[in-house]
Amino acid sequence: GAFALYLSGGSISALSGGSLPTADGYIASVAINQNGAGIIGGTNSVTGEAYAALVPAGGGTLQHLSGGSLPSDGNIYFVAINNAGYGIVGGNDNATNFGYAALVVPGSTMLQNLANADFPSTGEIYSVAINQAGQGIIGGHNDTFIYAAFVYPDGTLETIPGAFPAGTINSVAISEE
């Protein structure tokens, strides 16, 4: 099963709650900001549900994220969080073969689905990043071509235009400017 630890000030504590995946579940990605708050994502293999949770600064009880059309049969491959608490999760929905991305707004445990007319109807989002201004980027593929989009703090998704080659984006980054 999935297991999460929090290290602070030289001591380690186990994280619990937040519907932490059990049995065959796993945590695929972890991110922590400068304030000690974090976000984790993966899959609950027993139910098949994609999994995402906030980690409070200092550790303690995980806060399960929901809403935003979180796939009931899918994966969260990558997570990111900035110092203000804005976060992005990315993955896929196995049931529909759709890519999946959602925004986490500070102070909320509800995911805001990220999609626009150009969002891939098939494929996966393999990487996400967010800067301190709340601007982000997501990348992956649409089963044939690479896919990338900018994410804005209000949840707007802007597909990066261009004639992209066949393939997959496995890693993205965004500058602070």
Side-chain angles (χ1 to χ4, degrees), residues 148-175:
F150 291 115
V151 177
Y152 297 98
D154 66 356
T156 302
L157 188 68
E158 179 186 344
T159 300
I160 297 172
F164 293 118
T168 298
I169 294 175
N170 290 310
S171 183
V172 297
I174 191 165
S175 73

Side-chain angles (χ1 to χ4, degrees), residues 38 73 106:
D73 179 10

Side-chain angles (χ1 to χ4, degrees), residues 44-61:
N44 186 335
S45 296
V46 172
T47 63
E49 179 185 30
Y51 177 78
L54 293 174
V55 179
T61 303

Side-chain angles (χ1 to χ4, degrees), residues 53-174:
L54 293 174
V55 179
T61 303
L62 296 169
Q63 299 169 335
H64 187 250
L65 294 169
S66 60
S69 301
L70 186 67
S72 60
D73 179 10
N75 307 285
I76 298 299
Y77 295 127
F78 213 91
V79 298
I81 190 168
N82 69 13
N83 292 339
Y86 280 95
I88 302 174
V89 302
N92 76 314
D93 185 327
N94 292 326
T96 62
N97 197 32
F98 288 180
Y100 177 77
L103 180 69
V104 179
V105 177
S108 175
T109 57
M110 293 299 291
L111 293 166
Q112 180 181 342
N113 196 30
L114 294 172
N116 65 12
D118 298 324
F119 193 80
S121 58
T122 60
E124 297 167 294
I125 301 300
Y126 281 125
S127 187
V128 302
I130 192 165
N131 65 19
Q132 298 310 322
Q135 301 160 329
I137 188 169
I138 62 174
H141 69 89
N142 68 0
D143 275 349
T144 304
F145 300 104
I146 65 173
Y147 175 80
F150 291 115
V151 177
Y152 297 98
D154 66 356
T156 302
L157 188 68
E158 179 186 344
T159 300
I160 297 172
F164 293 118
T168 298
I169 294 175
N170 290 310
S171 183
V172 297
I174 191 165

